[in-house]
Amino acid sequence: MIEALQFDFMRNALLAGVLVSIACGIVGTFVVINRIVFVSGGIAHAAYGGIGLGYFFRFNPVLGAVIFSIGAALAMGVVQLQTRQRTDTIIGVIWAIGMAIGIVLVDLTSGYKADLMSYLFGSILAVPTQDLWIMLILDGIIVTLVSLFYKELLAISFDEMFATVMNVPVKTIYITLLCLIALTVVMMMRVVGLIMVIALLTMPAAISGQFVKNMKWMMVVASLLGVIFTTGGLWLSFTLNLTSGATIILVSGSVYLITLLLSPVLSRPLTAKSRGLLTRSIPGPR
């Protein structure tokens, strides 16, 4: 691994893994607690429309994915909150439309699309310095928003009715959470690809939730686990000449299955006992 660090692409890959792990640890915790993994999958696949948008109009596909994934998150949130349609139906429709738009726009784009598959299946070894700066900016946005609205996010995660009584803008906070998921998805697509993005988003947080009861510590542990998984998977892929994204997911999945078997013996999962924190942290009606 020390020998591999002599190459710029390997150093970029490690930095990308660290930056992505921070976002996954923070946002993935809320995804697991709120049980909105399927929503995250819908946003992830709809983001492919932004890839096609970037190719068609000749700008960075990552920026296109940011625009499209946030648009998909807003659409899912608004439609879900304003209509009586089944949530899974809405997500499935937006998921399919986003993918279809991306495929059509890519088909209409002339020229050879060399790195198109890297967005679907990941290519952490090909992350350019420009994308690292984008990841750093997105990390800053995620950390800032979660810090500002942590109490509100905690409230809607454990007791939405209580949050409503305490005058927390539940709908606005929920849509904000979906937008945070969208930003995290964009960061992860170059690491493990849009196809496997749900796994890396949820597994570190799910493992952390089995052994840590405090929400903030759950985020910290999940972020550290993400760093371990991406670094370990990267090392194995380099050593055994395997696909990096898939190897990272296999490392994460193996650890998750092991901890799932051991969790009844070693600990208890994070539960709604954290609701006790809400009465001390959420301001009352004004």
Side-chain angles (χ1 to χ4, degrees), residues 125-155:
L125 296 177
V127 175
T129 304
Q130 179 185 4
D131 284 3
L132 288 178
W133 284 109
I134 295 176
M135 290 179 181
L136 182 61
I137 293 171
L138 294 180
D139 257 348
I141 294 173
I142 291 171
V143 172
T144 300
L145 289 176
V146 171
S147 299
L148 290 175
F149 300 108
Y150 175 75
K151 295 177 181 179
E152 289 80 2
L153 288 167
L154 183 67

Side-chain angles (χ1 to χ4, degrees), residues 105-279:
L105 288 176
V106 169
D107 287 341
L108 294 174
T109 304
S110 59
Y112 177 62
K113 281 74 74 172
D115 60 343
L116 184 61
M117 298 302 291
S118 68
Y119 296 104
L120 285 175
F121 300 102
S123 182
I124 190 173
L125 296 177
V127 175
T129 304
Q130 179 185 4
D131 284 3
L132 288 178
W133 284 109
I134 295 176
M135 290 179 181
L136 182 61
I137 293 171
L138 294 180
D139 257 348
I141 294 173
I142 291 171
V143 172
T144 300
L145 289 176
V146 171
S147 299
L148 290 175
F149 300 108
Y150 175 75
K151 295 177 181 179
E152 289 80 2
L153 288 167
L154 183 67
I156 69 168
S157 297
F158 287 108
D159 199 331
E160 185 175 321
M161 185 64 67
F162 176 81
T164 303
V165 173
M166 292 292 102
N167 288 337
V168 174
V170 174
K171 293 182 179 180
T172 302
I173 296 299
Y174 179 71
I175 292 178
T176 301
L177 176 58
L178 295 184
C179 290
L180 292 176
I181 294 172
L183 295 179
T184 306
V185 163
V186 172
M187 293 180 62
M188 289 190 293
M189 70 180 181
R190 291 306 298 265
V191 176
V192 295
L194 294 175
I195 302 298
M196 297 180 286
V197 74
I198 304 176
L200 190 59
L201 180 64
T202 56
M203 281 193 289
I207 295 171
S208 176
Q210 294 178 40
F211 304 102
V212 181
K213 298 181 177 64
N214 181 277
M215 189 82 155
K216 292 181 179 178
W217 277 109
M218 183 176 173
M219 294 180 187
V220 173
V221 173
S223 297
L224 293 175
L225 287 173
V227 173
I228 293 172
F229 294 155
T230 53
T231 304
L234 193 59
W235 176 77
L236 281 176
S237 67
F238 181 82
T239 304
L240 303 177
N241 193 26
L242 302 172
T243 303
S244 301
T247 307
I248 291 171
I249 296 303
L250 286 176
V251 170
S252 306
S254 299
V255 176
Y256 174 70
L257 292 176
I258 292 172
T259 56
L260 198 63
L261 295 173
L262 296 178
S263 61
V265 178
L266 299 179
S267 184
R268 294 180 180 179
L270 182 69
T271 66
K273 291 181 180 179
S274 298
R275 293 177 183 174
L277 298 174
L278 301 180
T279 56

